[in-house]
Amino acid sequence: RPVRPDHAPAPLRIALESMARRSPIVLALAACAAVWLLRSTAFAGTSAAQPAARGSRVPLAAATIYEVMVTNPSVGARTRLNINEKTTVEEIITKARKEMDFEMSFLDGDWFLYEIEDETKPLSGEMGQYNL
């Protein structure tokens, strides 16, 4: 059963009154802590610092990344791949087949890569030799 401050013994009454005087301070501290937590949490569109676990972007800047669109014209399947100049045509075909779910063994050998401007000769080797 709760004790009312006016019916409490003197030492308890003093303790209850001092708690009542401190409650605005505790409330203000709790409000400050809540504001700090909300401002330090990264929400979409805020400029909070990214967590360190995300890693540095310096290694990414060293290698140039290109996006290519791979299309299987017979069924209209498409996928986008990120490649660099050292990526080979064979790697692109392998990744694209996996992304488009064309990994059946009976389809091996019938995959070629062409530039969109000239579909008469298939590409081969590293992509850096073509004007990326």
Side-chain angles (χ1 to χ4, degrees), residues 57-111:
R57 293 181 184 231
V58 173
L60 259 180
T64 305
I65 305 288
Y66 300 95
E67 182 183 65
V68 294
M69 173 76 75
V70 180
T71 305
N72 182 337
S74 64
V75 294
R78 288 184 164 182
T79 187
R80 292 175 187 251
L81 299 175
N82 291 324
I83 65 167
N84 60 31
E85 294 163 347
K86 299 288 183 192
T87 306
T88 64
V89 169
E90 291 76 24
E91 290 172 336
I92 293 173
I93 291 172
T94 303
K95 288 178 185 178
R97 284 183 63 185
K98 181 176 176 142
E99 291 288 323
M100 294 187 285
D101 291 327
F102 289 119
E103 294 182 289
M104 292 68 93
S105 61
F106 63 88
L107 294 175
D108 290 344
D110 290 334
W111 295 85

Side-chain angles (χ1 to χ4, degrees), residues 3-5 8 11-21:
V3 177
R4 291 182 33 196
L12 183 58
R13 188 172 351 142
I14 293 170
L16 289 173
E17 288 173 358
S18 68
M19 284 175 52
R21 275 183 274 153

Side-chain angles (χ1 to χ4, degrees), residues 9-66:
L12 183 58
R13 188 172 351 142
I14 293 170
L16 289 173
E17 288 173 358
S18 68
M19 284 175 52
R21 275 183 274 153
R22 286 189 209 152
S23 66
I25 294 171
V26 172
L27 182 61
L29 287 175
C32 289
V35 168
W36 177 76
L37 283 173
L38 287 174
R39 291 186 52 77
S40 67
T41 306
F43 289 104
T46 63
S47 61
Q50 296 296 328
R54 196 163 184 197
S56 173
R57 293 181 184 231
V58 173
L60 259 180
T64 305
I65 305 288
Y66 300 95

